[in-house]
Amino acid sequence: MAKSQQTFSKIEKEKKKQKKREEKQKKREERKLNSNKGSGLDSMIAYVDENGFRTDTPPDPSKKKKIKAENIEIGVPKREKEEFDPVRKGKVAFYNDSKGYGFINDQETQERYFVHVNGILQEIKENDNVTFELEKGPKGLIAVQVKKI
């Protein structure tokens, strides 16, 4: 007589597979029962109110605004050409004479601009009031034509 080819581990694997199938079938049946309780598409819809917040209720049609497609600008709007004096006034915030660079704070905009020894016409020190012009450098605007006031 030949022995059965099924070993203990094979029997255990078959039991585990059968148990997984049964659990999967139970979950499928539960989902079917629960999905019938929902009201369908209406329960899944979300609305956005006039302030941009999500709500469950549809927006009020009286607050609706008409916008023409021509008025929508995509991207950064072009700047109007501004007429301004190219010579600006500022104060030296930091200057290292040995390394030959520093920073100047603009009096009008309070922005800080880099200055190199090549762009300086007169000798400057920290806290000096100066006039300067702006020029595009490799990392942004830099101060050139720097003179003491």
Side-chain angles (χ1 to χ4, degrees), residues 60-83:
D60 186 13
S62 65
K63 295 182 181 178
K64 190 175 182 180
K65 297 178 186 175
K66 285 276 187 181
I67 299 174
K68 293 183 180 178
E70 303 90 48
N71 296 341
I72 298 173
E73 290 185 29
I74 299 175
V76 180
K78 292 183 180 178
R79 281 190 179 178
E80 304 274 332
K81 288 194 176 182
E82 298 173 6
E83 293 293 324

Side-chain angles (χ1 to χ4, degrees), residues 9 12 16 22 25 41 51 62 141 143 149:
S9 62
E12 289 297 313
K16 285 182 183 178
E22 289 172 3
Q25 184 64 29
L41 185 62
N51 299 320
S62 65
L141 295 174
I149 297 180

Side-chain angles (χ1 to χ4, degrees), residues 40-52:
L41 185 62
D42 292 335
S43 66
M44 291 187 266
I45 292 180
Y47 298 97
V48 179
D49 66 2
E50 66 274 3
N51 299 320

Side-chain angles (χ1 to χ4, degrees), residues 126-144:
E126 286 185 23
N127 297 323
D128 282 349
N129 289 328
V130 292
T131 60
F132 63 96
E133 293 180 17
L134 291 177
E135 188 176 278
K136 187 168 181 161
K139 293 185 178 179
L141 295 174
I142 60 171
V144 294

